[in-house]
Structures are given as C-alpha cells and as structure tokens.
Amino acid sequence: MYLEHFKFNELPFGLTPNIDFFCQLKGHQEALNVLLFSLRSGEGFIKIIGEVGLGKTLLCRKLLDSLNQDYVTAYIPNPDLNPQELRTALARELGVELTALKDQHELLTLLNNKLLELHHAGKRVVIVIDEAQALPLDSLEAVRLLTNLETGKNKLLQVVLFGQPELDQHLNKPNLRQLKQRITFSYYLPLLSPEDMDTYLFYRLAIAGYQSGTLFAKKARKILYRASRGVPRVINILCHKSLLLAYGSGESMVTPQMMKLAVRDSDTGFASRHKKYTLLITGLSALIISIILFYCCKGII
C-alpha cells in the first residue's frame, strides 16, 4: 500500500513477530539477558510475564534465535494441550521416533533416552512454551515432572514459560506449589515509557528503510502514547492506520488529526475522550476501504 509513498522496504508496523524488528529497549533487553544467563547457568525453570501485546512472542523468538549450537530447543507455541499431547509434542520437537508407540510409559522412556543421548553429546535441551497461561493445570504439573529427568549432577531439561499474568494465578494454586518453588528466575515485562516509544518508532522505521526524517509529528506521538499506554501491539496498529491516512491524503507526515482518527477507529479507550471526532470516523473507514478497493482493481492486492 504505502511502501512506495514513504520509501519503505517493508511494512514497519506489522503484527507478525519479526526478530529483525526486535528493539533493544531496556525492559526487553533485560528480559533477554535474564533468559540467556539463566539458561547458561543450568536453571530448571524460568518465567517471563507480560500483559497482552507487550512483545512476549517476539522476545520468545529472539531467544530461540540467540541460542547457539550447544542448545537443542523444543518450541511449543500452542500449549492448549493435555499432558499426553504435551509430551508427544515435545518428543516430536526433539526428533523422537513415535511409530508403534504403545503407551505413555514407553513415551516417557523414549523421551528420557533422547534427553540422555543429547546430554552425552554435550547439548542442553530447552523447552520454550509460549502463552503458558493457556496450559491446563495438569499439563503444567506434567512439565514439572519432566524436569525430574536428570543425571546425578545435571538437569536434562530446562523450561522457559512465557505467559500473561494469569499464569501467576495458576502457579499460586496449592496443587502447583512444587512447580512454583522450582522457578528460579522471573521477569515482568514493563510497559514502554514515552521515551521508549519514541526509540521504538524510530528503530522500526529505520529497519523498514525510512530515511526522510521525522514521520510522526510530536503531538501525534503524544496522542499515540496516551492511546496505546505503551503497549507495542497497540502502537503498531495505530501507526499502521495513521500511515494509511497520511498516504491516502498524499501527506509525508502523520499529523495529530490523523492519529486521532486512527485512535477513534481502534477503540483503545482514548477515543471516548475525543467525542468531537465521532463523525469523522466514518470518513476514515471509507478512506481505508477506498484505498483497498483501488489496489484490488489494479490487481496489486
């Protein structure tokens, strides 16, 4: 859409977690440092907690990309699995042959043998579970039991849990107290500060190839921060919509008015304090639809 207009190489504010856009903000870099240090120290359980939209999945993928050949990783992105499904998913991630499998006892034996094989080869095995708050409680306990697999000196498996605050609520339940006690390092992702947000915007624009100075007016950035409250996902959504507006208007900068319209279209909570723009939102939606229809007719999208 607006790539050529702003001379972008790629969309700067997409929602797909792309590690090329990982910005070394204080909170996210600290979280990555905690993860790398904990894994190198051989800790059994590490927990990263963050609200919706704070970049946990991006951090998760950055961690996986940062681990060298000494590590073998098993990534579980969809953890809504019962204990049997979870163990099976882990086995598949580690390359365990599961044909003619008889029962769960045999599966555990195969997993243990695979972990011992990797340990003797000098590898550290890390299971990374994204959206861990979605794990059923019995599956969380199954994860703990898997970490009982060990040699006389070393754990055969390390676990990193990425989750929303609901994960802490689960871990506070009495039947999960043993798992909670095994979590040796935790980190809570913070919201972006206004300064963090500016750094975040400029970094993503630079990675996307933008080289023409300030793209978001100062007042537009203030509106953006108030509306997003420092949540990266909301920032991306509002920036994308405001850039679409600037493109549709033939402008080279996002103005405060454009950002207000983008906020109104996104139901972030900030919009209710700007009721005088109620009628303008219809124009924004119509403009977006018109742009999409134009490109469809041209056969571009």
Side-chain angles (χ1 to χ4, degrees), residues 34-35 37-47 63 71 124-129 140 143-150 153-161 178-186:
V34 167
L35 287 165
F37 173 80
S38 303
L39 292 175
R40 288 165 186 161
S41 300
E43 303 297 343
F45 274 90
I46 307 109
K47 178 187 68 175
L63 170 65
Y71 294 86
R124 296 184 178 187
V125 178
V126 181
I127 176 173
V128 179
I129 302 178
L140 276 170
V143 173
R144 182 190 71 81
L145 293 174
L146 283 172
T147 62
N148 287 339
L149 302 174
E150 56 189 6
K153 295 182 179 180
N154 303 105
K155 292 284 185 184
L156 295 178
L157 183 66
Q158 296 173 276
V159 179
V160 181
L161 301 173
Q178 291 187 71
L179 171 55
K180 184 177 180 181
Q181 289 175 359
R182 292 195 184 185
I183 297 174
T184 50
F185 283 93
S186 299

Side-chain angles (χ1 to χ4, degrees), residues 201-274:
L201 294 179
F202 298 144
Y203 179 81
R204 292 188 74 100
L205 288 171
I207 293 297
Y210 185 70
Q211 300 176 347
S212 301
T214 302
L215 184 53
F216 295 91
K218 185 175 181 180
K219 288 186 178 179
R221 298 201 304 272
K222 288 183 178 180
I223 295 168
L224 174 61
Y225 186 77
R226 290 175 61 192
S228 67
R229 300 179 300 279
V231 176
R233 182 181 295 160
V234 180
I235 291 170
N236 286 7
I237 291 171
L238 295 178
C239 285
H240 174 66
K241 289 185 176 182
S242 63
L243 287 172
L244 191 60
L245 276 170
Y247 166 65
S249 303
E251 299 292 338
S252 59
M253 177 180 288
V254 172
T255 66
Q257 177 81 350
M258 293 170 186
M259 188 60 72
K260 288 174 183 177
L261 287 170
V263 171
R264 275 295 294 177
D265 192 53
S266 303
D267 191 24
T268 64
F270 176 72
S272 61
R273 298 193 292 274
H274 291 264

Side-chain angles (χ1 to χ4, degrees), residues 94-109:
L94 296 179
V96 175
E97 179 59 53
L98 297 179
T99 56
L101 187 66
K102 295 179 181 178
D103 52 35
Q104 285 297 293
H105 176 72
E106 184 177 353
L107 174 58
L108 284 172
T109 300

Side-chain angles (χ1 to χ4, degrees), residues 27 30-31 47-51 54 165 168 186-191:
E30 282 183 354
K47 178 187 68 175
I48 302 293
I49 297 293
E51 270 292 354
L54 281 185
D168 275 341
S186 299
Y187 191 89
Y188 292 79
L189 286 174
L191 296 168

Side-chain angles (χ1 to χ4, degrees), residues 2-3 5 53 57 68-69 89-90 104 139 155-156 164 182 186 196 202 209 246 261 264 282 284:
Y2 50 68
L3 289 178
H5 180 73
T57 299
N68 62 27
Q69 66 274 9
L90 174 59
Q104 285 297 293
S139 296
K155 292 284 185 184
L156 295 178
Q164 296 170 18
R182 292 195 184 185
S186 299
D196 286 337
F202 298 144
L261 287 170
R264 275 295 294 177
T282 303
L284 170 62

